[in-house]
Amino acid sequence: MTEPIREPGSPTMGDFLEYRSFHGTLRGPTYAVWAIARTGLGLLFRRKLFWGLYLMGLILFFLYFFGQYLLVWAGSQDLGQSIRVGPFARIPRKELIDNLRTMLKMDGSPPMFHNFFQTQGSIVMVLFALAGAQLVGNDFRFRSFPFYFSKPIGPLHYFLGKGLAAAVLLNLLTTIPALILFFQAWFLGDWSWNVAKMKLLFSILGYGAVLTWGLVPLLLASASGLTRTIPIAMFWIFCFLFLRGISEGLVDRLGYSPNWKTIDLWNDLGLIGSQILGMGPEPKNRNTNPDFGFALGLVLVIPILSLAYLRLRLSKVEVLR
Amino acid sequence: MSAPALSLQSASKWYGQLLALNGVNLELGPGIHGLVGANGSGKTTLLRIASGLILPDEGHAYIHGISTKKSRARSLVGYAPETDSFYEEYTIVDFLTIMARLHGFRAEWAKRLATRALEKVDLGDQAKKRLRGCSRGMRQRVKLAQAILHDPPLLLLDEPFSGVDPVVRGDLVCLFRKMAAGGRTILFSSHELDEVERLTEDILVLVRGRIVAVGSAGEIRQRLDNNPCRVALEWSDSNDQPTLNDLVSEWASWPEVSGWDRSLVGLGRLGCMVRAPREGDFLNRLQSQVLRLGWALDRVENLDGSTRVLVGRILGGKMLGSSS
């Protein structure tokens, strides 16, 4: 949506400051969302710490990437021979490689992507703690809002922009690498394209969307309240490590109801992700995971509560009242 | 008739129990307007309401006839806030480009406008400098540049001269005058009262959220009910000139004079300082006396005529601080 640069009836500007020759139309405030997101990402990308953490976050991706490649390469060698395992046993090479692919889940299957998403959790927490302060916390802390809101944008555009930046960051660590792994598995495989592959592709995108919905509003809310990196990091550690420890202690050690595991948000997101990927719970967790409905409820409620808190925080900002 | 650049209609704003702005009515047309007031008098609140940054709890604010409730009204405003919390990692030109893009300009135009705005505030050669390394004066100019880059017909500046050295200050004054001459409306707040008087004939005095006086320093002075002032007079000591004793004996019967002090001016010169309850009345009477006596006065100066003294008097002697 665009709007004219001058309102009808407003004074003719002439050649203001002798440099203005813009006679086009201005883009509407919705376009500012991307500008705000780019600004936020630019702030992060200018920090060496971010790139250090991001490279750490990609270690797992490289492990999967080269692991898949190596296993496929090994499988493509002469498979007629068998390999000696121990003093007596010999295993056919093909069987060994297939077993390895299954065990390591480096076979382009839904469990591989589920594992990848789940294990990216810790680095996502660390990066989000850094990003929260940079993206939103500093604006609240240093009162930068007059620069934003004296422009023709509103709080909604501001938070959509910041949320978009956080979403890009999250998906740079999870969904994008997962998509690369998906296409790598496809290229290394039989190049066939069928409904199952299409479904898997959309499942990966869906998993990314669930993570985005579950984590981005929480990040914005926590960063708007805590503003500094260390408190935000402590909050995320509490949510995703401390609560996980408590839930495991309650359920696995003390025998409480598995529904207590609902307080582990990352586990809840993983449960929903596994459903999206068409997997059931893993056998070892089958009896200790909460009901799917509980997990789904929490993943729906927490972002809504986060957005409500964000609205409350905004009402305290002087220039937005 | 076109709508005024800025119109406030009974605008009031509360912060909790505090009434920051109290039923302000204001209409501003093209030109430069100065806003002065003590700490907490509501200057920043008024500017924020005028810019559409906050909405009044009561009353209305319009920019060129468009309510500030509408976001498009903010396209017509350039606002330089008092705070300078930038993104320190960015260069000056990158920051301004971002600000231009928030206005809706495409990337190419945003960069061009940012570069030209920097030239206007004399920061063209510092465009690639990181904001982290900018001095206070440079940051003030960056704030100004982000306010003017989209060519606004209304410019609202909160303490634009704070921390700016005299040379740059002079450049900014020239820029403001040029913009005003081009039909723009500029409203700025300042504690540099002499600067206000130098820059504009239209001064708004804000006391506890109310505009108590509007006009030039002289007009405001005339409107004050009780406006005592000290007037310095000097003339040469010669035979055809009256002596101080002659004058004093005559002034004793004048209601326009409440007292006087003799002052030694220098060799061959006479002088005194007259205390007058109302400057205008005294000067009128003095004029007739000068004509009658054929008196050749070399100096007539209102010692209390500066804006600082005037505003101080309006504020009841309250000191003007650094922030509102």
Side-chain angles (χ1 to χ4, degrees):
Chain A
M1 197 179 124
T2 57
E3 59 186 55
I5 188 168
R6 293 281 165 243
E7 293 301 322
S10 68
T12 307
M13 289 301 106
D15 191 13
F16 175 56
L17 295 178
E18 291 121 33
Y19 69 78
R20 181 66 174 280
S21 54
F22 183 85
H23 298 296
T25 52
L26 291 175
R27 295 194 292 188
T30 314
Y31 287 90
V33 169
W34 178 232
I36 293 167
R38 275 180 49 153
T39 308
L41 289 171
L43 283 171
L44 283 171
F45 292 166
R46 280 160 201 249
R47 293 181 74 96
K48 288 175 187 159
L49 178 61
F50 167 80
W51 288 109
L53 291 172
Y54 186 67
L55 284 175
M56 275 177 63
L58 288 185
I59 286 175
L60 192 70
F61 164 72
F62 287 127
L63 187 73
Y64 274 92
F65 187 87
F66 292 112
Q68 272 202 125
Y69 179 79
L70 277 173
L71 286 172
V72 170
W73 174 81
S76 69
Q77 303 304 302
D78 179 13
L79 301 176
Q81 296 178 5
S82 57
I83 295 171
R84 185 172 171 175
V85 180
F88 309 110
R90 294 188 75 84
I91 301 176
R93 188 175 289 201
K94 183 178 187 318
E95 193 176 318
L96 176 67
I97 290 168
D98 287 345
N99 283 342
L100 269 175
R101 289 187 77 183
T102 309
M103 279 166 58
L104 295 173
K105 292 177 180 165
M106 289 188 182
D107 50 0
S109 64
M112 174 181 120
F113 294 107
H114 185 255
N115 270 8
F116 176 74
F117 274 110
Q118 281 296 92
T119 43
Q120 283 293 76
S122 44
I123 198 69
V124 166
M125 301 309 125
V126 176
L127 259 179
F128 260 34
L130 174 72
Q134 288 288 314
L135 286 176
V136 177
N138 285 349
D139 286 341
F140 276 87
R141 201 168 139 214
F142 299 119
R143 300 179 181 180
S144 305
F145 291 115
F147 287 110
Y148 281 103
F149 298 122
S150 60
K151 313 291 182 289
I153 60 168
L156 179 65
H157 305 110
Y158 171 81
F159 278 105
L160 282 176
K162 296 294 183 180
L164 181 59
V168 168
L169 181 66
L170 174 68
N171 286 291
L172 275 175
L173 279 167
T174 53
T175 313
I176 304 293
L179 286 174
I180 293 172
L181 291 177
F182 169 82
F183 285 111
Q184 185 204 21
W186 182 48
F187 287 135
L188 293 175
D190 54 6
W191 285 66
S192 66
W193 189 254
N194 52 35
V195 174
K197 283 206 167 54
M198 181 75 85
K199 192 177 165 196
L200 181 57
L201 176 64
F202 281 106
S203 300
I204 291 167
L205 294 172
Y207 201 153
V210 167
L211 288 180
T212 305
W213 163 253
L215 296 179
V216 168
L218 186 61
L219 174 74
L220 297 182
S222 60
S224 70
L226 300 168
T227 72
R228 291 169 188 263
T229 305
I230 299 297
I232 295 171
M234 289 171 72
F235 173 77
W236 285 89
I237 287 169
F238 173 81
C239 284
F240 292 97
L241 292 180
F242 189 68
L243 285 183
R244 165 167 290 190
I246 287 178
S247 68
E248 285 178 353
L250 287 173
V251 177
D252 299 336
R253 306 246 169 100
L254 299 176
Y256 277 71
S257 161
N259 286 334
W260 275 100
K261 280 210 170 172
T262 317
I263 61 174
D264 179 1
L265 181 61
W266 193 253
N267 188 52
D268 297 333
L269 291 166
L271 270 176
I272 295 168
S274 67
Q275 291 291 328
I276 291 173
L277 288 166
M279 302 160 50
E282 289 183 29
K284 68 183 174 73
N285 291 332
R286 189 159 287 148
N287 298 320
T288 60
N289 265 331
D291 287 344
F292 179 74
F294 275 103
L296 183 64
L298 197 82
V299 169
L300 285 173
V301 164
I302 283 188
I304 291 170
L305 289 177
S306 301
L307 292 173
Y309 177 74
L310 206 54
R311 187 181 166 86
L312 182 72
R313 280 290 295 161
L314 281 176
S315 70
K316 305 285 182 196
V317 177
E318 185 186 311
V319 299
L320 294 176
R321 274 196 273 180
Chain B
M1 196 176 124
S2 64
L6 173 65
S7 171
L8 299 183
Q9 296 175 0
S10 306
S12 298
K13 182 72 187 173
W14 281 268
Y15 294 121
Q17 298 291 312
L18 177 72
L19 180 57
L21 211 59
N22 186 1
V24 168
N25 288 295
L26 180 68
E27 282 196 358
L28 296 182
I32 303 175
H33 311 272
L35 181 63
V36 291
N39 281 348
S41 60
K43 297 191 299 293
T44 298
T45 301
L46 189 149
L47 288 173
R48 286 180 169 178
I49 285 177
S51 67
L53 206 53
I54 54 177
L55 295 174
D57 293 321
E58 271 185 23
H60 303 279
Y62 297 95
I63 298 166
H64 284 287
I66 302 169
S67 170
T68 56
K69 288 176 185 168
K70 296 179 179 174
S71 65
R72 64 196 166 134
R74 293 201 289 277
S75 296
L76 305 174
V77 184
Y79 175 64
E82 192 181 0
T83 56
D84 58 358
S85 45
F86 305 131
Y87 293 122
E88 306 291 334
E89 301 295 326
Y90 275 97
T91 62
I92 296 174
V93 70
D94 285 346
F95 173 73
L96 292 182
T97 305
I98 293 162
M99 293 293 112
R101 296 202 68 174
L102 294 184
H103 275 290
F105 290 100
R106 287 177 171 80
E108 182 199 350
W109 263 99
K111 185 101 181 207
R112 195 181 303 177
L113 292 177
T115 307
R116 302 303 293 268
L118 280 177
E119 286 168 7
K120 289 296 162 189
V121 296
D122 203 20
L123 281 177
D125 54 344
Q126 304 283 338
K128 298 284 182 190
K129 191 180 175 85
R130 278 184 194 270
L131 287 159
R132 182 186 297 283
C134 289
S135 65
R136 181 109 190 266
M138 288 170 73
R139 295 168 83 89
Q140 283 287 17
R141 283 183 280 164
V142 171
K143 280 195 299 186
L144 182 62
Q146 65 84 32
I148 65 171
L149 57 76
H150 64 295
D151 184 7
L154 174 62
L155 200 56
L156 302 166
L157 311 170
D158 204 348
E159 305 278 351
F161 297 113
S162 175
V164 177
D165 66 60
V167 176
V168 177
R169 185 173 298 199
D171 292 343
L172 293 184
V173 167
C174 286
L175 178 65
F176 293 160
R177 287 196 172 131
K178 203 171 173 182
M179 291 165 73
R184 275 80 207 174
T185 305
I186 300 171
L187 175 62
F188 74 101
S189 70
S190 178
H191 287 109
E192 301 287 333
L193 301 173
D194 296 335
E195 200 70 66
V196 175
E197 193 173 22
R198 224 178 82 191
L199 193 56
T200 178
E201 279 288 288
D202 192 20
I203 300 168
L204 295 86
V205 183
L206 203 59
V207 178
R208 295 193 191 96
R210 294 189 77 96
I211 292 179
V212 296
V214 181
S216 68
E219 287 169 347
I220 293 172
R221 202 175 296 122
Q222 287 297 325
R223 285 178 206 163
L224 290 173
D225 290 330
N226 184 20
N227 181 26
C229 64
R230 297 169 302 154
V231 180
L233 305 174
E234 280 182 30
W235 64 97
S236 60
D237 184 14
S238 60
N239 290 335
D240 57 341
Q241 295 276 62
T243 63
L244 194 56
N245 285 337
D246 297 336
L247 297 167
V248 163
S249 59
E250 196 170 334
W251 289 342
S253 60
W254 286 15
E256 292 86 356
V257 173
S258 58
W260 54 83
D261 290 323
R262 294 160 192 262
S263 58
L264 288 174
V265 175
L267 196 62
R269 296 184 64 75
L270 292 174
C272 68
M273 193 266 294
V274 178
R275 288 193 292 277
R278 299 175 73 89
E279 183 198 16
D281 294 349
F282 170 69
L283 292 178
N284 287 339
R285 186 108 191 230
L286 183 69
Q287 189 181 23
S288 60
Q289 187 184 31
V290 166
L291 291 171
R292 182 165 44 81
L293 297 175
W295 184 14
L297 270 167
D298 296 332
R299 179 186 173 214
V300 180
E301 185 186 350
N302 183 350
L303 299 176
D304 297 328
S306 73
T307 315
R308 180 184 293 277
V309 174
L310 188 62
V311 172
R313 189 173 296 141
I314 291 169
L315 300 179
K318 189 186 277 188
M319 288 294 291
L320 294 177
S322 59
S323 168
S324 79

